Amino acid sequence: MATTTTLEKPIKAPTFRHVSTGRRIKNNLATGAFAACFAIAMIPLVWVLWMVISKGITAIASATWWTNSQKGILPDQTGGGVYHAIYGTIVQSAVAAVIAVPLGVMAAIYLVEYGRGRLAKVTTFMVDILAGVPSIVAALFIFALWIATLGFPQSAFAVSLAMVLLMLPVVVRSTEEMLKLVPDELREASYALGIPKWKTVVKIVVPTALPGMISGILLSLARVMGETAPVLVLVGYAKSINSNLFDGNMASLPLLIYQELANPEAAGRERVWGAALTLILLIALLYAAAAVVNKLLTRNR
Amino acid sequence: MPSEPQDDVNLTKEAPEPESTVAVRRPHSQRAETVFRSLATAAGAIIVASIALIALFLLIRAIPSLRADEANFFTSTEFATTDANNLRFGIKDLFMVTVLSSVFALVIAVPIGVGIALFLTHYAPKAVAKPAAMLVDLLAAVPSIVFGLWGFLVLAPQLGPVQTFLNDNLGWFPLFADGNVSISGGGTIFVAGVVLAVMILPIITSVSREVFNLTPVTHIEAAQALGATKWEVVRMTVLPYGRSGVIAGSMLGLGRALGETIAVLVVLRTAAQAGQWSLFDGGYTFASKIASAASEFSSPLPTGAYIAAGFVLFALTFVVNALARLAAGGKVNQ
């Protein structure tokens, strides 16, 4: 800027220019401390990721890791793969999603579009409480209900049921947030055309909120995939693929990690870190998918 | 706030639609409306019911075992369930280990979490703040078994010297006194607490960040107009304004730490005798005790003992989470 106005040139020097040393030191200390807090939090993150990647990379670098199960592999033997555990992880969380997503989305629709009065308040409160229910308690509940009371055997499906409880609050929350972001004008325009409320919700509100909802659902899937407590309580470990959802043992990555931790051999350690890296890659994939969905579907708006 | 009551299209039973001359609504679509609304309401009701069912079924399974319990459930430190005819179990030691590890985690995580939140909201430049916040949230994406792995195989050996130092120099203080497991072997409540602190950091940070972001600009500007330094602005406006949010976030973090299962199970070493409120004790938390016995859930009475412990954990987390909601004025949304 070539021209300077009088406004830019103060007429008088500011009265308070000097900050006393004590205050300045305190201010700098505080700034340093807050930045240090952030740095401290980065230590475990980098450390964990570095450990998992550096120790797990050798295991997952081989092709058999992705195409074989642990069938016939002895504890002290290097080799085999985690195909069966990847299968189990995906199947269990997919079945959970099939139940939790419609239920969660409908509950969110209830809360945003219909909920008023006491039931809505109680529901919001209970969603918060459900979000705080420890995974082991969810697992224990499914055990008490599904296995001890109803008499079903331990199975992958029981794990999925426990995962439903853990997914529900996340799905409800994220969907609720997204539905609330849909402008009321859209709803009003639809009503003005004489379209009934339910159709407005299904054809206007939900499609508008869809990208956010999908990414929220993907993130909730990522969350339950790493849960270990339900698989410990509700299903046993198997060394090969079990395609029966309702009976028998089924491996999953967290269960495999836990199982191999008890194996003191070097081969076991390798599998532990390899499975941890595989699990993190799987979760990272879901996170990336969530980001892509969000970006792709919101771009043309 | 969107979706305030929209009475014009609200077909409630109490207020039947007046004979309208304009809107042409066929009975068919009215039925669809009712069905859809009922489905949505039912989904909400299922969530409410599930909480009640959790409490109910845990109780149903726990009561026979509690009846058969030969020891006092609340004051005994034993947990002997192998002999179904002579069940002796109590939660005192589980309670101690659970509370000690969670509170220790909180003591570490709250100051750091609040510091990060302040850094992200009021110090870091905008371009840095967003990716930095995502980095902190990444901590929440790491599965807890991986944290357990890291805590057990990597962190515990590293913390050995720290623990020995604390024990040597501050051993007179009960928290740092000799525990019931050897310090050099790792696997103490101290190590578990550090792992838990890392795991609850993201939630404390994100809730605090949210409230710090909401500090009214007028408050900040008023402080600045009085000549306050940045730190003074933070201390006089941001921190007091965000207090309830910080408390709520900490409670949520506490709830997480109380219920964390697998990381604690992997990290914490078992102890032959009950702990003495030392950070260098070993043992089991509620959650890790249940998980450790999960493969032996075959006969109902011993299993019921663990379910009783699970019910106590459920009640504990329920109270903590409800308090978190209260502290935030019913606006916890994370």
Side-chain angles (χ1 to χ4, degrees), chain B residues 261-304:
Chain B
T261 310
I262 201 69
V264 177
L265 177 61
V266 171
V267 168
L268 204 56
R269 248 170 343 137
T270 54
Q273 71 214 58
Q276 294 297 326
W277 292 98
S278 159
L279 285 175
F280 302 131
D281 281 332
Y284 285 112
T285 64
F286 283 109
S288 69
K289 184 79 186 170
I290 297 164
S292 73
S295 54
E296 293 137 35
F297 283 2
S298 44
S299 59
L301 274 183
T303 308

Side-chain angles (χ1 to χ4, degrees), chain A residues 19 23 26-27 30-31 34-35 37-38 40-42 44-45 47-49 51-52 103 106-107 109-110 112-114 116 119 122-137 140-141 143-145 148-149 165 168 172-173 177 180 182 184 187 191 196-198 201-202 226 228-229 232-233 254 257-258 261 269 272-273 276 279-280 283 287, chain B residues 1-3 5-6 9-10 29 32-33 36-37 39-41 43-44 46-48 50-51 53-54 57-58 61 111-112 115-116 118-120 123 132 135-136 138-139 141-143 145-147 149-150 152-155 158 198 201 227-232 259 261-262 265-266 287 290-291 294 297 303 306-307 310 313-314 317-318 321-322 325 332-334:
Chain A
V19 177
R23 288 173 65 209
K26 261 189 205 161
N27 185 40
T31 311
F34 297 144
C37 283
F38 177 71
I40 288 172
M42 286 302 103
L45 180 67
W47 195 358
V48 166
L49 290 181
M51 275 294 157
V52 172
L103 205 57
M106 282 312 271
I109 288 176
Y110 164 73
V112 175
E113 307 288 336
Y114 293 97
R116 233 154 284 140
L119 179 62
V122 173
T123 308
T124 317
F125 179 71
M126 287 308 177
V127 171
D128 277 348
I129 295 294
L130 199 58
V133 167
S135 52
I136 188 81
V137 171
L140 216 48
F141 162 62
F143 183 89
L145 173 70
T149 305
L165 285 175
L168 261 182
V172 175
R173 287 272 179 66
E177 291 304 311
K180 279 181 182 169
V182 176
D184 266 350
R187 295 187 178 87
Y191 297 147
K197 184 164 182 173
W198 72 274
V201 172
V202 173
T228 315
L232 270 187
V233 175
I257 296 173
Y258 186 72
L261 256 180
R269 282 284 180 274
V272 163
W273 289 109
L279 184 59
I280 285 191
I283 289 173
Y287 266 72
Chain B
M1 283 287 283
S3 90
Q6 282 134 359
V9 285
N10 191 3
S29 86
E33 175 68 40
F36 188 75
R37 166 195 284 268
L39 278 177
T41 314
I46 285 176
I47 290 181
V48 176
S50 66
I51 296 282
L53 283 179
I54 290 176
F57 273 92
L58 292 184
R61 288 285 137 193
I112 297 180
I116 296 172
L118 284 175
F119 175 72
L120 294 179
Y123 283 88
L135 275 179
V136 177
L138 267 189
L139 274 176
V142 178
I145 182 132
V146 174
F147 275 121
L149 211 62
W150 168 74
F152 174 60
L153 296 174
V154 183
L155 182 69
Q158 300 290 329
V198 175
L201 204 57
T229 60
K230 189 125 195 174
W231 159 239
E232 284 159 347
T261 310
I262 201 69
L265 177 61
V266 171
I290 297 164
F297 283 2
T303 308
Y306 292 99
I307 293 182
L313 176 62
F314 174 65
T317 48
F318 189 105
N321 283 301
R325 234 186 103 87
V332 183
N333 244 331
Q334 166 61 96

